[in-house]
Amino acid sequence: QVQLVESGGGLVQAGGSLRLSCASSGSILNIRAMGWYRSQTPGNRRELVARATSGTNPVYADSVRGRFTISRDNAKNTIYLQMNSLKPEDTAVYYCNLVNQRSENYWGQGTQVTVSS
């Protein structure tokens, strides 16, 4: 069982930056995919922010392309989301996702990002 723990959320002014981290309890060296999703209101479905599948280029939501970057550090078993030029509409709970080689999905507990205008 893999556990994912997100950190790095918080309150930031519009135009600012945050870097979210997602630490995995297991190795991320051979994962099938990793991603970040967000939920902007409680109970709403999680929307894709960024996703990287093994062997392919990352894909980004239109609303964040050019501002957000997904990356990983295999040595630290950590996935990152660098968020620049933040906007109030980026306010949400952000969740990391990992899909292992058996296509099993794992989710973090979420981290709140609030962007003030």
Side-chain angles (χ1 to χ4, degrees):
Q1 185 79 5
V2 173
Q3 291 186 330
L4 303 178
V5 179
E6 295 118 335
S7 62
L11 174 64
V12 64
Q13 287 189 332
S17 298
L18 285 173
R19 187 177 77 160
L20 305 183
S21 299
C22 174
S24 170
S25 62
S27 173
I28 65 170
L29 188 60
N30 295 310
I31 59 173
R32 181 162 294 183
M34 62 182 189
W36 288 92
Y37 294 74
R38 67 187 181 188
S39 178
Q40 295 184 302
T41 54
N44 275 18
R45 69 175 182 84
R46 298 171 186 179
E47 64 173 6
L48 172 70
V49 175
R51 179 177 172 87
T53 304
S54 178
T56 65
N57 291 327
V59 294
Y60 296 92
D62 289 344
S63 59
V64 308
R65 189 176 297 112
R67 300 187 297 121
F68 290 12
T69 304
I70 188 171
S71 64
R72 61 196 282 178
D73 185 331
N74 291 335
K76 296 182 178 179
N77 293 325
T78 301
I79 299 165
Y80 301 100
L81 184 69
Q82 178 67 44
M83 306 187 295
N84 299 328
S85 302
L86 282 161
K87 304 176 181 180
E89 51 263 43
D90 294 319
T91 295
V93 177
Y94 285 72
Y95 300 88
C96 68
N97 169 257
L98 179 154
V99 182
N100 66 11
Q101 285 294 322
R102 295 185 295 275
S103 297
E104 295 168 331
N105 264 278
Y106 295 95
W107 292 91
Q109 81 287 354
T111 185
Q112 176 71 47
V113 172
T114 303
V115 184
S116 64
S117 57

